[in-house]
Amino acid sequence: AQSVTQPDIHITVSEGASLELRCNYSYGATPYLFWYVQSPGQGLQLLLKYFSGDTLVQGIKGFEAEFKRSQSSFNLRKPSVHWSDAAEYFCAVGAVNYGGSQGNLIFGKGTKLSVKP
Amino acid sequence: GAVVSQHPSWVICKSGTSVKIECRSLDFQATTMFWYRQFPKQSLMLMATSNEGSKATYEQGVEKDKFLINHASLTLSTLTVTSAHPEDSSFYICSASGTEGEQYFGPGTRLTVT
């Protein structure tokens, strides 16, 4: 079955510290992987995506993620966290159907990030 | 670019009434839009996939007669919650698919049924 697992429900880091949010997926085909961020009461903003090619992808706001097929992982990282990064982070896996149309996304349960001053 | 709007951002309605939520792609055309529901402190659950000019595809367990979806144009999809009940209170989020398979999300609509 297709699924996404985010093992950490809540993570707290100090401002300026590095961050890694874990994501593992189970998907039958070659996955398309995404990280989204959601601030309280808001919709989701796309941070980055992986379709193919270089397994280390760069996103907005200084985030990056690395696709590791052997580990079925797509962990999100940031070298130095800012207080404004406090939010909920969702990993998602999906498929692009034949012809390039978007299939639905399967979301993990999210990781809440708190940032200590 | 790739902005998706939702209207209203929040709504309170009485039990038994119907509520319509609009989802618009403001600067691009979206043949496919998605409707999600999010309960407090939980992830997004896909309700249905909306394709322009055709019937929506509903996920298992979602009542199609209760959650009416219309995708009349390439920039607008609507979700109507019919005969709303308190258990329908939730955060409803739409998304529109981009050209590279990513999805762009609207800001969400908070529905409270009293």
Side-chain angles (χ1 to χ4, degrees), chain B residues 4-101:
Chain B
V4 176
S5 71
Q6 278 184 246
H7 178 80
S9 54
W10 60 270
V11 57
I12 302 173
C13 70
K14 291 186 177 180
S15 186
T17 61
S18 295
V19 174
K20 179 185 285 188
I21 303 170
E22 293 185 349
C23 177
R24 293 180 185 272
S25 56
L26 297 184
D27 50 2
F28 66 104
Q29 293 182 331
T31 56
T32 304
M33 290 184 172
F34 302 87
W35 286 96
Y36 295 85
R37 184 173 180 177
Q38 185 179 32
F39 292 100
K41 301 186 186 300
Q42 295 193 27
S43 188
L44 281 73
M45 299 296 295
L46 179 67
M47 298 175 66
T49 302
S50 170
N51 294 296
E52 187 267 337
S54 64
K55 291 184 179 180
T57 303
Y58 290 82
E59 295 300 299
Q60 191 173 11
V62 178
E63 299 176 60
K64 59 182 67 177
D65 293 331
K66 181 169 186 62
F67 298 99
L68 301 179
I69 291 173
N70 183 277
H71 194 158
S73 77
L74 288 172
T75 60
L76 173 64
S77 176
T78 60
L79 168 68
T80 301
V81 183
T82 63
S83 187
H85 288 97
E87 56 265 32
D88 298 324
S89 299
S90 191
F91 194 52
Y92 293 88
I93 304 177
C94 73
S95 71
S97 60
T99 56
E100 295 184 330

Side-chain angles (χ1 to χ4, degrees), chain A residues 34 36 38 41-44 49 51 90 102-105 107-109, chain B residues 34 36 38 42-44 46 91 93 97 100-103 105-107:
Chain A
F34 307 82
Y36 287 87
Q38 184 181 33
Q42 302 291 316
L44 276 71
K49 60 183 184 284
F51 288 169
F90 292 95
Q102 170 69 60
N104 61 285
L105 294 178
F107 284 87
K109 294 191 175 183
Chain B
F34 302 87
Y36 295 85
Q38 185 179 32
Q42 295 193 27
S43 188
L44 281 73
L46 179 67
F91 194 52
I93 304 177
S97 60
E100 295 184 330
E102 71 278 29
Q103 290 185 24
F105 286 81

Side-chain angles (χ1 to χ4, degrees), chain A residues 79-91:
Chain A
S80 178
V81 170
H82 188 264
W83 64 266
S84 60
D85 293 326
E88 188 95 20
Y89 291 80
F90 292 95
C91 179

Side-chain angles (χ1 to χ4, degrees), chain A residues 48-97:
Chain A
L48 47 78
K49 60 183 184 284
Y50 170 78
F51 288 169
S52 64
D54 193 347
T55 56
L56 183 63
V57 294
Q58 303 296 321
I60 62 172
K61 303 184 179 185
F63 286 93
E64 66 178 26
E66 185 172 12
F67 170 59
K68 292 185 177 180
R69 185 186 298 275
S70 62
Q71 298 178 19
S72 297
S73 69
F74 189 58
N75 294 347
L76 181 72
R77 300 194 295 249
K78 186 169 184 177
S80 178
V81 170
H82 188 264
W83 64 266
S84 60
D85 293 326
E88 188 95 20
Y89 291 80
F90 292 95
C91 179
V93 63
V96 176
N97 298 324

Side-chain angles (χ1 to χ4, degrees), chain A residues 12-67:
Chain A
T12 300
V13 300
S14 297
E15 189 169 16
S18 63
L19 170 71
E20 182 170 32
L21 301 182
R22 296 183 291 167
C23 173
N24 294 95
Y25 66 89
S26 174
Y27 199 77
T30 300
Y32 294 85
L33 297 158
F34 307 82
W35 273 100
Y36 287 87
V37 60
Q38 184 181 33
S39 297
Q42 302 291 316
L44 276 71
Q45 181 182 23
L46 178 66
L47 284 177
L48 47 78
K49 60 183 184 284
Y50 170 78
F51 288 169
S52 64
D54 193 347
T55 56
L56 183 63
V57 294
Q58 303 296 321
I60 62 172
K61 303 184 179 185
F63 286 93
E64 66 178 26
E66 185 172 12
F67 170 59

